Amino acid sequence: LAGNSIGGFTALSAAANLGNVFCPGLILCNSAGRMVPMDVYEQEMLERGGVTLKQKMLTTGLPQKASPSEALLTLFGKGVIKLLQPQVPKVLPWLYVQKPENADQKLEDNILRDSNDPGGFSVIASGAKLPPPRTKNELLADYVGPLLVTQGLNDPLGGGISKTRFYLYPEVHPNPEQVTLIPLQSGHCPHHETPEEVCAAIRDFVAGVNAGSQPKSTPEALALALSLKQ
C-alpha cells in the first residue's frame, strides 16, 4: 500500500488493520497524521489507563461528541469549499517548493473538478462528527512491517513538521531496521516534484521486500534524521 498526504494516513490505517501478512510493504509519502515522540505517546497511554485509543474505543464505545446540526454542517462544508476554490492557483505553487511549474493548469483543473463532486462538502463537515484519530505511533505498532518513507523535507504544511516526522519514523516503528528513509528536497508532493527519485526508491523497496531483503537507509539519510532530531 502507498499514499501521499491524507492518502498516506489512509494507507497506514489500512495496513494496521491488515497486518504485514496481507500488506507486505507500506510506502508513505509526506503522510498526514499525528506522530509524537515515544515518551509523549507512552504518557498519553498512561492517561488512558495503559490502553491504546483503539482498545479504549472497543471497550467503551465511541466517545460522545456534540456536533452542530446537519444543516449547519452542510452550510459550513459548502462554505469552506467555496472559500478554498479561488485559492487553489495560489496554494499549489506554494506546495511545490522546488518545481512550482509542476503545479500546472491540468492539476489545478483536476482539483477544482473534484471539489465540485456531489457530497464533497460532507468530507469537510465530517471532522465535526468523527472520533479522534489514532496516532501514527499506534498504527505503526499494529503494522510492524517494512516501511518506506519518501519525505519531501521542504513541505511548508504544518510549519516544518515534515522534518520532525522524518526523524520520528525509526523511533516510532517497533522495528527500526525495517524503516527505509529517503530524504528529498521537495515539498508536499515529492512523487510529483521529484518522480525519478521516488520511483527509484519504490522500485528498490518493492523488489527488496519481495526478495526478503529490504533496502536500508543510507548512512547519509540516518545522519540527516539524527541532525534534525537534535
Side-chain angles (χ1 to χ4, degrees):
L1 289 174
N4 166 244
S5 193
I6 190 66
F9 186 71
T10 303
L12 173 55
S13 299
N17 287 316
L18 291 169
N20 64 334
V21 173
F22 294 101
C23 178
L26 177 64
I27 302 165
L28 300 182
C29 190
N30 285 62
S31 168
R34 182 169 176 260
M35 182 164 55
V36 296
M38 286 305 294
D39 58 338
V40 175
Y41 174 66
E42 289 163 0
Q43 179 60 37
E44 291 178 353
M45 278 193 64
L46 285 175
E47 292 169 1
R48 284 194 300 267
V51 297
T52 65
L53 184 58
K54 179 181 178 179
Q55 289 169 331
K56 183 176 181 180
M57 287 192 291
L58 288 173
T59 303
T60 63
L62 296 177
Q64 294 294 320
K65 186 174 182 180
S67 64
S69 67
E70 286 296 323
L72 282 176
L73 287 176
T74 297
L75 183 64
F76 173 75
K78 290 183 175 180
V80 169
I81 286 179
K82 290 299 182 186
L83 181 66
L84 292 177
Q85 283 176 331
Q87 304 300 317
V88 170
K90 182 189 300 183
V91 171
L92 276 178
W94 176 68
L95 293 173
Y96 282 62
V97 178
Q98 300 303 120
K99 294 184 179 179
E101 65 273 13
N102 284 12
D104 57 15
Q105 188 64 47
K106 182 178 179 181
L107 178 61
E108 180 184 330
D109 292 343
N110 287 342
I111 291 172
L112 290 173
R113 180 201 62 204
D114 292 346
S115 71
N116 287 318
D117 281 352
F121 62 86
S122 63
V123 177
I124 302 292
S126 65
K129 295 181 176 181
L130 295 173
R134 300 167 70 193
T135 62
K136 289 201 273 193
N137 303 63
E138 184 175 325
L139 293 170
L140 285 170
D142 280 355
Y143 171 59
V144 307
L147 171 64
L148 170 65
V149 179
T150 57
Q151 192 83 348
L153 297 179
N154 298 323
D155 188 346
L157 289 181
I161 198 171
S162 177
K163 293 183 174 67
T164 303
R165 286 174 173 163
F166 183 73
Y167 79 72
L168 276 176
Y169 280 109
E171 177 183 323
V172 166
H173 196 291
N175 301 309
E177 68 280 0
Q178 288 193 292
V179 179
T180 303
L181 296 174
I182 305 293
L184 299 164
Q185 295 304 314
S186 53
H188 188 61
C189 302
H191 57 293
H192 196 193
E193 276 198 276
T194 51
E196 296 85 1
E197 294 173 75
V198 173
C199 287
I202 291 174
R203 269 197 313 269
D204 292 345
F205 178 74
V206 172
V209 169
N210 287 337
S213 57
Q214 177 184 348
K216 303 299 182 184
S217 302
T218 65
E220 292 79 11
L222 293 173
L224 176 60
L226 183 59
S227 70
L228 292 173
K229 183 176 182 177
Q230 294 173 342

